[in-house]
Amino acid sequence: MSSSAAPSGTGSSRIRSWWGWGYADAHPGDAECTALGSLLPGTHPRPLPLPRVADLRIDRPGVAPPPALDHLISTDPDVRAAHAMGRAYRDIARALRGRPGRIPDLVAHPLRDTDVTDLLDWAGGQGVAVVPFGGGTSVVGGVEYRGDTHRAVLSLDLTAMDRVLEVDAVSRSARIQAGALGPALERQLRPHGLTLRHFPQSFEFSTLGGWLATRAGGHYATERTRIDDFVQGMTVVTPAGSGTSWRLPASGAGPSPDRFFLGSEGAFGVITEAWMRLQERPRFKASASVAFTDFHRALEAVRAVAQSDLAPANCRLLDPGEALLSGAAQDGSSVLVLGFESATAPVGDRLADALELARAHGGRGGAGDAASAGDGGPADAAVSAWRSAFLRMPYLRDGLARMGAVVETFETAATWDRVPDLVDAVRTEVGAAALKATGNPATVNCRLTHVYPDGAAPYFTVAVAGRPGDEVAVWDEIKAAACEVLRRYRATITHHHAVGRDHRPGYDAQRPEPFALALRAAKDALDPRRVLNPGVLVD
């Protein structure tokens, strides 16, 4: 049985952290962790030590694969530990305490569709649970096994299937293997002058298959906000067989097979490749920021922009706490970050129109920003600060976790008539729940990540000093309070973080019972031995 060191997963020689976000060498050092902890009263005086795989109890695999599959499988402890969980706060806190949960017995790296088929056939016959694993960036318990009904667990890592197989320049589309991580995907498209241009925060460490299986949201704040919008057709391997949907620009022929497997999170089949719609790389860009003294007036400004035909690529609203944290504003202002891009025409006029709408609703600043940002020119200071903080934030979260802080995010979406009251209720009730759980004051920040003519996606960050050694339970209490607010306002349990295992109660409440019945029947038909990602979407 082969073994190997845990790969970086991005085509880089840098080493991925087995327990935390991103690269191991990008995590805050002890001194920076201590400085971060000083910002939250009640945290530890010094950071928890970095966890080591050598300190974990990793049992021998409970099953051995047949010789024909041996070359695809690793039993190396480092590789197995790195595939035990995702990268939610719950995962980080458990790893820091040496309690990562059920570590998979085997990690498979298939090279082609037939390998996936063979692995599923073998696992089904042996009662081995198969957990599909893309880049491992799940923040909802989507890539870990919880339970004891299977004799062993196989983590199915598709990152060896990472090629752009075919490019159709005429139709501007490409057939891409599902294991391609964001940077590798874009690197292969660049010589053709094309781009998928789907940039979630996890872009560097997540795969196309992961985006499809979780219906991921990208960087576009309006219009093409989700990976769904880019799909032409998909190939899916299930225990009952494999199939490829027709590659079409659109179709009215009954329920869509692609729509069924989008968001299926590996519960019904393994997405192995997809035809994706591409676009020309943008040549014209312009961005600017606008400040508001009143967050609710800022919400009105964002709604006006979303209901116009301007379609900004970026329309992120930061509340005062989020603006302060990112360095976008230091004076208690809320900040609206606007950005436009195009492959064919200058966008300065569209930015100017959006700024005019924002100022009509109480925004200040932005005057002259369209010209100074220029098409392809530098963005203003607030925009640059926000972008840098956006990419750095998961690392800082892990640094605060080492100080005993509970720092996590959750997101949702609701129609505009409910968004203002929803945001206020989350701030008040989640803050109260955090204080009750810990005895410490909490910070609850909000930003809008995606906006639509009929609603918006608020994204919340919670930070509070936890109970030493009991940080996971604290977060679970806080998350329960948050979910209750979302349920009361009939806001979705998740806009783009997927369901996984953590959001199952909320998803069960949100979906109609006849649809749940259909999903259970589909599970029976496609995965009769119940080995694919047990506990996700259906029991």
Side-chain angles (χ1 to χ4, degrees):
M1 202 172 296
S2 65
S3 64
S4 60
S8 72
T10 62
S12 168
S13 59
R14 298 173 70 185
I15 301 299
R16 286 278 299 275
S17 170
W18 77 266
W19 65 272
W21 185 262
Y23 293 117
D25 62 8
H27 278 262
D30 287 359
E32 186 178 0
C33 289
T34 301
L36 289 168
S38 68
L39 302 176
L40 280 178
T43 55
H44 302 328
R46 62 185 62 86
L48 293 169
L50 293 173
R52 302 188 312 160
V53 173
D55 295 331
L56 301 177
R57 176 181 174 179
I58 302 180
D59 297 330
R60 292 177 60 85
V63 65
L69 299 177
D70 187 78
H71 67 290
L72 302 173
I73 290 176
S74 172
T75 58
D76 182 274
D78 288 347
V79 177
R80 291 170 62 192
H83 288 76
M85 56 190 183
R87 294 300 180 265
Y89 170 78
R90 296 182 87 258
D91 305 320
I92 306 309
R94 288 184 295 157
L96 286 169
R97 297 293 183 180
R99 302 191 292 263
R102 174 67 181 267
I103 294 174
D105 298 79
L106 311 169
V107 177
H109 291 88
L111 304 175
R112 55 188 64 86
D113 287 19
T114 54
D115 293 339
V116 176
T117 298
D118 293 342
L119 287 162
L120 293 184
D121 287 346
W122 169 77
Q126 296 295 317
V128 174
V130 179
V131 180
F133 191 99
T137 58
S138 171
V139 293
V140 292
V143 295
E144 67 176 278
Y145 179 84
R146 297 178 190 172
D148 56 7
T149 58
H150 296 80
R151 62 182 297 203
V153 179
L154 171 73
S155 179
L156 188 65
D157 186 324
L158 267 70
T159 52
M161 299 172 62
D162 63 353
R163 291 181 296 140
V164 174
L165 299 172
E166 189 175 351
V167 174
D168 175 0
V170 174
S171 305
R172 287 204 315 199
S173 55
R175 183 165 65 98
I176 307 169
Q177 290 183 306
L181 289 123
L185 186 157
E186 289 292 336
R187 187 165 54 247
Q188 294 175 77
L189 294 177
R190 189 171 292 112
H192 302 276
L194 298 170
T195 175
L196 179 60
R197 205 145 184 81
H198 181 79
F199 300 137
Q201 189 177 30
S202 62
F203 168 78
E204 194 172 8
F205 308 107
S206 54
T207 65
L208 173 63
W211 302 341
L212 297 169
T214 60
R215 299 183 66 197
H219 83 292
Y220 283 116
T222 65
E223 294 194 325
R224 296 168 290 188
T225 60
R226 314 188 69 86
I227 195 66
D228 313 33
D229 301 318
F230 299 98
V231 177
Q232 259 190 348
M234 295 196 303
T235 296
V236 182
V237 176
T238 81
S242 62
T244 301
S245 60
W246 285 18
R247 175 187 165 214
L248 297 167
S251 173
S256 165
D258 294 334
R259 292 287 174 181
F260 176 78
F261 286 108
L262 285 166
S264 62
E265 302 189 32
F268 304 118
V270 180
I271 300 169
T272 58
E273 64 179 57
W275 273 98
M276 304 298 295
R277 299 183 179 97
L278 308 177
Q279 55 190 299
E280 294 181 28
R281 305 181 70 82
R283 295 187 297 126
F284 302 95
K285 298 181 182 180
S287 59
S289 64
V290 186
F292 294 82
T293 56
D294 185 323
F295 183 74
H296 281 244
R297 290 295 306 279
L299 287 174
E300 294 173 1
V302 174
R303 179 166 62 88
V305 173
Q307 292 177 344
S308 72
D309 61 356
L310 295 172
N314 197 4
C315 188
R316 303 291 204 274
L317 175 62
L318 318 178
D319 75 358
E322 195 78 15
L324 177 64
L325 191 64
S326 68
Q330 309 292 325
D331 60 357
S333 297
S334 298
V335 175
L336 173 59
V337 178
L338 289 166
F340 291 83
E341 60 183 46
S342 171
T344 59
V347 293
D349 288 347
R350 287 162 59 197
L351 176 59
D353 290 344
L355 292 173
E356 184 176 348
L357 279 175
R359 287 193 289 267
H361 289 81
R364 66 183 190 277
D369 285 339
S372 63
D375 287 321
D380 70 10
V383 176
S384 297
W386 171 79
R387 285 175 178 160
S388 297
F390 178 73
L391 297 174
R392 183 64 177 157
M393 197 58 63
Y395 292 103
L396 300 183
R397 177 205 63 176
D398 293 359
L400 281 165
R402 290 185 62 199
M403 299 303 298
V406 176
V407 184
E408 186 57 302
T409 64
F410 63 95
E411 38 76 48
T412 184
T415 51
W416 279 116
D417 60 312
R418 287 173 283 165
V419 166
D421 291 342
L422 169 66
V423 172
D424 289 346
V426 167
R427 284 179 177 147
T428 300
E429 297 182 40
V430 171
L435 178 62
K436 180 180 178 181
T438 66
N440 296 311
T443 296
V444 183
N445 295 335
C446 175
R447 68 179 185 266
L448 300 188
T449 62
H450 302 79
V451 296
Y452 306 91
D454 55 343
Y459 190 109
F460 298 94
T461 300
V462 183
V464 64
R467 299 192 300 258
D470 208 17
E471 294 88 357
V472 172
V474 167
W475 172 245
D476 288 345
E477 293 176 41
I478 295 171
K479 185 64 179 285
C483 291
E484 171 55 27
V485 177
L486 301 185
R487 183 203 61 78
R488 195 168 71 245
Y489 280 87
R490 295 183 70 83
T492 181
I493 189 63
T494 175
H495 172 267
H496 60 269
H497 278 176
V499 175
R501 291 161 180 83
D502 295 346
H503 286 162
R504 265 297 301 279
Y507 179 62
D508 288 353
Q510 181 177 327
R511 66 187 179 190
E513 182 54 31
F515 183 68
L517 182 65
L519 289 183
R520 295 184 197 112
K523 182 71 169 177
D524 287 336
L526 298 174
D527 183 22
R529 290 167 169 169
R530 300 279 173 146
V531 297
L532 272 175
N533 220 0
V536 169
L537 298 187
V538 297
D539 294 326

